Amino acid sequence: MRVLVASDLDRTLIYSPSALALTMPDARAPRLLCVEVHEARPLSFMTETAAQLLSELGDAAVFVPTTTRTRKQYLRINLPGPAPEFAICANGGHLLVDGVSDPDWHGVVTARLAEECAPLAEIQAHLTAVADPVWLRKQRVAEDLFAYLVVERELLPGEWVKELTAWAEELGWGVSLQGRKLYVVPKPLRKSAAVHEVLRRTGAELSLGAGDSLLDADLLHAVDHAWRPGHGELADTGWLEPGVTALPERGVLAGERILREFLKAARSGV
């Protein structure tokens, strides 16, 4: 049986220095492997055990990194194991085949966005008008597909996020707050759509997935079985569906547990 594993990366399999605080006291911290460096700074880590499990998973299944990161941000990650043939970037906006974006898939996505939701320029203008410099640090556009803000999380009013969510909903966009980043993403831009395309191309008979944020909910719903860690937006809201297992582990050890579950399921075909 051919198995496809589609997994979110940040705060699911790999962790920034700030996200490592979710793990455990320093005295019990596991040995870590750096998997991303940018401008001479280490940015992302996984445990050495998780790195070994991911290397084994690459031989047991079709592993598909599935991320909201842009292509440039994704390509600077150096994951252990065989280089993935497929990767999903920009929340499904780009399907990479051997590291190169598939133009046909990107064309399908952009046509769908033009038909089904308000334009990105309208979202950008609204964010510029309503964001408060007290807590806003950066405003960015990713791949000309969606927008995100870098914020001071402790200063960001919860009511502001609720109001933005309600406003965006009417225009066919969704809001997701992950660490210090607040994403505003068109609803037709879904990881699950790209996963279905990879399933079609590979003919995989069993699909597995994992993720921690609201942007991963459609991915977890789309696969045969999925796992979510004990941290993140989905855990905070108690989100759970049939076929999704909520794990108790938080932080980098949750990534290790998810990879154990992937490997066990891929080897058993169940």
Side-chain angles (χ1 to χ4, degrees), residues 6 10 22 28 32 62 74 79 99 106 118 125 127 139 149 158 175 184 197 229 231 244 250 265 270:
D10 293 281
L22 296 167
R28 298 176 55 209
L32 298 174
V62 179
Y74 163 71
L79 293 173
H106 186 61
L127 291 174
Q139 181 173 339
L149 308 179
V175 174
V184 187
E197 176 65 12
H231 63 261
V244 178
R250 294 167 50 84
V270 177

Coordinates of all heavy atoms in Angstrom, one line a residue, residues 6 10 22 28 32 62 74 79 99 106 118 125 127 139 149 158 175 184 197 229 231 244 250 265 270:
A6 N 1.1 14.1 4.7 CA 1.1 15.5 4.5 C 1.1 16.2 5.9 O 0.1 16.1 6.6 CB -0.1 16.0 3.7
D10 N 5.9 24.3 10.9 CA 6.1 25.1 12.0 C 5.1 24.8 13.2 O 3.9 24.8 13.0 CB 6.0 26.6 11.6 CG 7.1 27.0 10.7 OD1 8.3 27.2 11.2 OD2 6.9 27.1 9.5
L22 N 7.5 25.8 24.8 CA 6.3 24.9 25.1 C 6.7 23.5 25.6 O 5.9 22.8 26.0 CB 5.5 24.7 23.8 CG 4.9 26.0 23.1 CD1 4.5 25.7 21.7 CD2 3.8 26.5 24.0
R28 N 15.3 19.0 31.6 CA 14.9 17.8 30.9 C 14.8 17.9 29.4 O 14.2 17.1 28.7 CB 13.5 17.4 31.4 CG 13.4 17.1 32.9 CD 12.0 16.9 33.4 NE 11.3 15.8 32.6 CZ 10.0 15.8 32.3 NH1 9.2 16.7 32.7 NH2 9.5 14.8 31.6
L32 N 18.7 18.6 20.5 CA 18.1 19.2 19.3 C 19.0 19.3 18.1 O 20.2 19.3 18.2 CB 17.6 20.6 19.7 CG 16.6 20.8 20.8 CD1 16.4 22.3 21.1 CD2 15.3 20.1 20.5
V62 N 5.3 8.6 1.1 CA 5.5 9.8 0.3 C 5.3 11.0 1.3 O 4.1 11.3 1.7 CB 4.5 9.9 -0.9 CG1 4.7 11.2 -1.6 CG2 4.6 8.7 -1.8
Y74 N 10.3 28.2 2.7 CA 10.3 26.7 2.8 C 11.7 26.2 2.4 O 12.3 25.3 3.0 CB 9.2 26.1 2.0 CG 9.5 24.6 1.7 CD1 9.3 23.7 2.8 CD2 9.8 24.2 0.5 CE1 9.6 22.3 2.5 CE2 10.1 22.8 0.2 CZ 9.9 21.9 1.3 OH 10.2 20.6 1.0
L79 N 15.5 19.6 5.9 CA 14.9 18.5 6.6 C 15.7 17.2 6.5 O 16.3 17.0 5.4 CB 13.5 18.2 6.1 CG 12.4 19.3 6.5 CD1 11.1 19.0 5.7 CD2 12.2 19.5 8.0
G99 N 11.1 20.7 -6.0 CA 11.6 22.1 -5.7 C 11.1 23.2 -6.6 O 11.4 24.4 -6.3
H106 N -0.7 26.3 -9.9 CA -0.8 27.7 -9.5 C -1.8 28.5 -10.3 O -2.6 29.3 -9.8 CB 0.6 28.4 -9.6 CG 0.6 29.8 -9.1 ND1 0.3 30.1 -7.7 CD2 0.8 31.0 -9.7 CE1 0.4 31.4 -7.5 NE2 0.7 31.9 -8.7
A118 N -12.8 38.3 -2.1 CA -12.4 39.7 -2.4 C -10.9 39.7 -2.7 O -10.2 38.9 -2.3 CB -12.7 40.5 -1.2
A125 N -5.5 47.1 2.3 CA -5.9 48.4 2.6 C -6.6 48.5 4.0 O -6.3 49.4 4.8 CB -6.8 49.0 1.5
L127 N -6.2 46.3 6.5 CA -5.2 46.1 7.5 C -4.4 47.3 7.8 O -4.1 47.6 9.0 CB -4.3 44.9 7.1 CG -4.9 43.5 7.1 CD1 -3.9 42.5 6.6 CD2 -5.4 43.1 8.5
Q139 N 4.0 44.4 8.4 CA 2.9 43.9 7.6 C 3.4 43.4 6.2 O 4.2 44.1 5.6 CB 1.9 45.1 7.3 CG 0.7 44.7 6.5 CD -0.3 45.8 6.4 OE1 -0.4 46.7 7.2 NE2 -1.2 45.8 5.3
L149 N 0.5 39.8 9.4 CA 1.1 40.8 10.3 C 2.0 40.1 11.3 O 1.7 39.0 11.8 CB 0.0 41.5 11.1 CG -1.2 42.2 10.2 CD1 -2.2 42.8 11.2 CD2 -0.6 43.1 9.2
G158 N -7.7 41.1 22.0 CA -8.5 40.0 21.5 C -9.7 40.4 20.7 O -10.1 39.8 19.8
V175 N -9.0 34.2 9.3 CA -8.0 34.8 10.1 C -7.4 33.7 11.0 O -8.2 32.9 11.6 CB -8.5 36.0 11.0 CG1 -7.4 36.5 11.9 CG2 -8.9 37.1 10.0
V184 N -4.1 36.5 7.3 CA -5.4 36.7 6.7 C -5.3 36.0 5.3 O -4.6 36.5 4.4 CB -5.7 38.2 6.6 CG1 -7.1 38.4 6.1 CG2 -5.5 38.9 7.9
E197 N -4.6 16.9 -4.9 CA -3.9 16.9 -6.2 C -2.7 15.9 -6.1 O -2.4 15.1 -7.0 CB -3.4 18.3 -6.6 CG -2.6 18.3 -7.8 CD -3.4 17.9 -9.1 OE1 -4.6 17.8 -9.0 OE2 -2.7 17.7 -10.1
P229 N -1.1 18.3 17.9 CA -0.4 18.4 19.2 C -1.3 19.0 20.3 O -2.4 19.5 20.0 CB 0.8 19.3 18.9 CG 0.3 20.1 17.7 CD -0.6 19.3 16.9
H231 N -0.8 21.7 21.8 CA -0.7 23.2 21.8 C -1.2 23.7 20.5 O -1.5 22.9 19.6 CB 0.8 23.6 21.9 CG 1.6 23.1 20.8 ND1 2.4 22.0 20.8 CD2 1.8 23.6 19.5 CE1 3.0 21.8 19.7 NE2 2.7 22.8 18.8
V244 N -9.3 12.2 13.8 CA -8.2 13.1 14.3 C -7.9 12.7 15.7 O -8.8 12.7 16.5 CB -8.6 14.6 14.2 CG1 -7.5 15.5 14.7 CG2 -8.9 15.0 12.7
R250 N 3.1 18.5 24.1 CA 3.2 19.9 23.6 C 4.7 20.2 23.2 O 5.6 19.6 23.7 CB 2.8 20.9 24.8 CG 1.4 20.8 25.2 CD 1.1 21.5 26.5 NE 1.7 22.9 26.5 CZ 1.1 23.9 26.0 NH1 -0.1 23.8 25.4 NH2 1.6 25.1 26.0
A265 N 1.9 4.0 11.4 CA 0.7 3.8 10.5 C 1.2 3.5 9.1 O 0.6 2.7 8.4 CB -0.1 5.1 10.5
V270 N -2.3 1.0 8.2 CA -3.6 1.1 8.9 C -3.6 2.6 9.4 O -2.7 3.0 10.1 CB -3.7 0.2 10.1 CG1 -5.0 0.4 10.8 CG2 -3.7 -1.3 9.6

